[in-house]
Amino acid sequence: GQQVMQIPQYQHVQEGEDFTTYCNSSTTLSNIQWYKQRPGGHPVFLIQLVKSGEVKKQKRLTFQFGEAKKNSSLHITATQTTDVGTYFCAVIQGAQKLVFGQGTRLTINP
Amino acid sequence: NAGVMQNPRHLVRRRGQEARLRCSPMKGHSHVYWYRQLPEEGLKFMVYLQKENIIDESGMPKERFSAEFPKEGPSILRIQQVVRGDSAAYFCASSRPNGEQFFGPGTRLTVL
């Protein structure tokens, strides 16, 4: 099945700095989803991308799906302490099975 | 509008005991999924169920683990004869057919 590699594993930034996490696959992806998990919490769906080259924005968050549909990124502009958490990419395989990347844990210095 | 409910939220078991984790899907959702998250890792798919049917159990360990979603009542993930390596957070998600999966708060299982 499809595997997704996510980098970096950890990222520590000063509040106000930007943050980016990347998700890569060796095979073409039909879709990609992004989730956020706060410390001690559960994954919360952020967005789904399905089209080649797609770019979607949610306030300070920008999501991109590569032209070849083999990579995706999540960029946060001017991080705030509320952005702390682990960000996961995930792909749907088969009958609705979600395959998650390893996640990027974001910590922020206020 | 209750979300996905899981109980217990925390469960402590000694090695060799049984663990039963419950999941009540969101209202109107007939599909349930179980995922396991080891510390510092991503979520790993275990099983996908619809009412009274297991659709995909490709992520379930071959022994000691079982899951059900009966016609009435919550979905149950059962772990027999727990070992320390079973300590993890177990998340349930639910969805409508082909819909977005909504996750519950998880059950944190600790095996002593």
Side-chain angles (χ1 to χ4, degrees), chain A residues 37 40 42 95-96 98 105, chain B residues 35 37 40 48 101 104 108:
Chain A
Q37 184 178 24
H42 60 278
Q96 294 295 99
L98 277 173
R105 176 181 284 189
Chain B
Y35 295 85
Q37 184 176 35
E40 307 291 320
Y48 164 33
Q101 294 183 29
R108 270 79 179 170

Side-chain angles (χ1 to χ4, degrees), chain A residues 13-70:
Chain A
V13 301
Q14 290 289 131
E15 188 174 14
E17 291 182 336
D18 292 356
F19 160 77
T20 306
T21 174
Y22 302 90
C23 201
N24 299 299
S25 171
S26 58
T27 59
T28 303
L29 303 170
S30 57
N31 64 84
I32 194 152
Q33 298 183 2
W34 286 94
Y35 290 79
K36 177 183 178 182
Q37 184 178 24
R38 294 183 185 274
H42 60 278
V44 175
F45 175 83
L46 294 176
I47 209 158
Q48 174 168 285
L49 306 171
V50 296
K51 296 178 183 176
S52 168
E54 190 169 12
V55 178
K56 288 188 177 180
K57 294 195 174 187
Q58 290 177 355
K59 298 182 180 178
R60 294 178 294 104
L61 278 61
T62 302
F63 304 85
Q64 290 190 319
F65 203 6
E67 291 291 341
K69 300 181 75 174
K70 288 186 176 182

